[in-house]
Amino acid sequence: MQIDDALKAQPHLAPWRPKIGIAPTLSDAELVALAVLSALLGFTSERRWLRHARAELSGMFPYIPGQSGYNRRLRQASGLVTHMTRMLASDTSLWSDDVWVVDSTPVECGRSRDTTQRSELAGWAEYGYCASHSRYFWGLRLHLLCTLGGLPVLFALSGAKADEREVLLGMLEAAPDVVAAHPRQTLIADRQYYGRAFEQELTERDLRLLRSARRGEPERAGAHLFKPLRQTIESINQTFKSQLDLERHGGRTPAGVIIRVLARVLALTTAIWHADKTGQPIKRSLIAYDH
């Protein structure tokens, strides 16, 4: 219903298609709903998901396209998915939180040497290191700016070696309306988000940075908060990885990876939005959807 209402109010959000032709049997709203359900129910194979949907969800979705048609239309709907994520997030009580946390997490895209050399992702995906889990990986990074409750506020995909500070500044620059709507916001990050020029740019955006001190630095304000809040950040990342199977996305092309990651961000946002609207005490719980 929320997607239908958004498309009626803003028809330009729908993926482009010729004005003259056969109308799709599966609506754009139903398409996005299928993608969200797939992520929430833990399906990492599109073939298995579409077979399951035909067998169990025919009452809700009378027509289920084949895998190639589903995949093609879903890639074209990335703009709609992004818009719905922002729309639902801003319609929650968590949106007004005055504290944000920022971090990045690996999105592995391959392991074999042949994959790294022949994949369409080569050049964007690259080798990187995950300090939290002490491992190297080949792929991308998902950068997340979230509330303490885990609600995604801003997000971006980058190469594994991208400077996290530059990506964060780019996210903020791309969403000036979000920054303007949250004056004097506190931003909690780890020690990789450092630098006088970087902190000055945040200050100019009316953002206050709290981070742990780097080696050789004096203790910074709010140091006693970082250990428990670090667990909060890791918990948010773990929701994406263990419950939404972020690193089992199955994407083989840039567009394929992007829409699969976006669908998972929308799935988490949808779950939080629903929990918020129904008065659930725990907003970032996916237990009700994983069976």
Side-chain angles (χ1 to χ4, degrees):
M1 181 181 294
Q2 295 291 324
I3 304 175
D4 280 326
D5 291 344
L7 287 172
K8 289 176 182 176
Q10 304 179 68
H12 66 277
L13 293 174
W16 180 89
R17 59 177 54 90
K19 293 183 179 180
I20 300 175
I22 300 174
T25 307
L26 183 76
S27 71
D28 294 315
E30 291 173 326
L31 175 76
V32 174
L34 276 172
V36 169
L37 284 173
S38 173
L40 289 173
L41 293 174
F43 283 86
T44 56
S45 165
E46 284 186 352
R47 285 192 176 90
R48 289 183 60 195
W49 165 240
L50 294 175
R51 286 199 303 267
H52 174 82
R54 291 190 190 98
E56 303 294 337
L57 303 177
S58 58
M60 299 171 58
F61 304 95
Y63 173 74
I64 306 292
Q67 184 189 7
S68 60
Y70 172 81
N71 191 279
R72 181 179 63 255
R73 285 192 59 192
L74 199 56
R75 291 197 302 270
Q76 296 171 347
S78 59
L80 175 58
V81 172
T82 301
H83 176 84
M84 291 308 304
T85 302
R86 170 72 64 82
M87 191 182 84
L88 291 180
S90 60
D91 189 35
T92 67
S93 61
L94 282 71
W95 184 255
S96 60
D97 286 1
D98 58 2
V99 177
W100 289 337
V101 292
V102 62
D103 197 14
S104 68
T105 190
V107 181
E108 191 173 39
C109 296
R111 293 190 177 183
S112 71
R113 183 176 178 82
D114 286 345
T115 298
T116 64
Q117 294 177 336
R118 298 162 58 181
S119 171
E120 290 186 41
L121 294 166
W124 183 27
E126 55 190 348
Y127 284 104
Y129 181 73
C130 176
S132 298
H133 299 93
S134 303
R135 68 181 176 98
Y136 289 93
F137 67 97
W138 186 81
L140 309 169
R141 282 189 178 275
L142 173 61
H143 301 258
L144 290 163
L145 184 68
C146 299
T147 68
L148 288 176
L151 179 72
V153 176
L154 298 174
F155 45 88
L157 274 172
S158 75
K161 294 180 180 177
D163 189 315
E164 292 171 305
R165 298 166 297 178
E166 292 182 5
V167 175
L168 173 59
L169 293 176
M171 290 160 59
L172 296 172
E173 184 176 351
D177 56 324
V178 175
V179 178
H182 295 81
R184 298 178 297 280
Q185 193 80 358
T186 297
L187 184 61
I188 297 177
D190 64 22
R191 59 174 58 91
Q192 300 304 318
Y193 293 85
Y194 70 96
R196 183 175 300 175
F198 169 72
E199 294 196 28
Q200 180 60 34
E201 290 209 43
L202 293 182
T203 301
E204 291 174 358
R205 289 178 168 87
D206 205 10
L207 297 172
R208 178 191 178 205
L209 177 67
L210 292 181
R211 65 168 174 84
S212 53
R214 294 172 62 83
R215 182 176 299 179
E217 285 186 331
E219 185 172 298
R220 293 171 61 94
H224 64 286
L225 299 173
F226 293 116
K227 188 172 183 179
L229 288 176
R230 185 66 206 171
Q231 292 301 110
T232 298
I233 296 171
E234 289 300 326
S235 175
I236 295 169
N237 289 339
Q238 194 62 19
T239 298
F240 277 103
K241 290 179 175 297
S242 64
Q243 295 182 274
L244 293 173
D245 300 296
L246 177 64
E247 292 198 278
R248 298 178 63 195
H249 53 79
R252 297 289 182 269
T253 65
V257 174
I258 288 170
I259 189 56
R260 286 168 172 83
V261 172
L262 288 177
R264 285 161 170 80
V265 176
L266 177 56
L268 178 60
T269 304
T270 302
I272 293 175
W273 174 84
H274 184 262
D276 186 62
K277 292 301 180 183
T278 55
Q280 302 300 315
I282 301 176
K283 304 294 189 285
R284 188 169 46 87
S285 174
L286 304 183
I287 294 175
Y289 309 98
D290 64 2
H291 59 280

